[in-house]
Amino acid sequence: MQLHSGKKIRWVVSVLAAAFALLVAMALPSGTSAAGSKGAELFKSKCASCHGPDAKGQTPMGKMMKIKDLTSEEVQKQSDAELHEIIAKGKKPMPEYGSKLKKEEIDELVAYLRELGKKKSLRKNCLCRMTRTPFDGVLVIFCATPFSPPAAPA
């Protein structure tokens, strides 16, 4: 059975769009590491009530206390040691967690915060374009993220 040329073009465009979306999805980082997942659980139980599940501080409590977005460049540019110290000793209005969490748990929280920062960076660098196909006006969305090949082992 031969497809009508317009149907054939739509089919080809659909297949190409699906293949492209699959390639983009495969190129993105997949989930969290083991430390990141422990950090995610700790964050959910200890931090999310104020900082929110996405660490942006947009909860009612976070807005009231003017909590910083933990994925922001301002927070992400701090060293791991600085973030560790803030979590351990607290920073007004945040209480200290050094007496409640082990050093390793705080390290896992810091690693999780770094992962959240990377996810925000990926979203910020995403190149997405929406266009309508000329033959039938179907809306097509193309997304890509800049790709950097992994560094060679030392």
Side-chain angles (χ1 to χ4, degrees), residues 14-33:
S14 297
V15 168
L16 288 174
F20 183 74
L22 181 62
L23 279 172
V24 169
M26 289 172 30
L28 293 174
S30 60
T32 58
S33 65

Side-chain angles (χ1 to χ4, degrees), residues 94-113:
M94 187 179 109
E96 61 85 22
Y97 282 90
S99 64
K100 300 171 185 83
L101 297 173
K102 298 174 188 165
K103 179 194 178 306
E104 295 78 20
E105 291 174 316
I106 295 175
D107 291 341
E108 289 165 357
L109 276 172
V110 170
Y112 180 67
L113 292 177

Side-chain angles (χ1 to χ4, degrees), residues 10-102:
R10 277 193 296 263
W11 182 83
V12 169
V13 168
S14 297
V15 168
L16 288 174
F20 183 74
L22 181 62
L23 279 172
V24 169
M26 289 172 30
L28 293 174
S30 60
T32 58
S33 65
S37 62
K38 288 179 187 175
E41 288 302 314
L42 283 167
F43 186 87
K44 184 178 177 181
S45 67
K46 304 288 184 193
C47 313
S49 60
C50 293
H51 289 282
D54 59 359
K56 295 185 182 299
Q58 294 300 305
T59 63
M61 183 68 72
K63 289 177 183 178
M64 184 179 77
M65 293 193 294
K66 297 182 171 100
I67 292 176
K68 291 183 181 177
D69 176 352
L70 299 179
T71 66
S72 71
E73 188 175 332
E74 179 185 353
V75 172
Q76 291 294 316
K77 72 180 179 183
Q78 295 178 11
S79 70
D80 288 357
E82 290 171 314
L83 293 174
H84 193 284
E85 184 174 339
I86 290 169
I87 295 168
K89 294 183 179 177
K91 185 174 182 180
K92 202 168 191 173
M94 187 179 109
E96 61 85 22
Y97 282 90
S99 64
K100 300 171 185 83
L101 297 173
K102 298 174 188 165

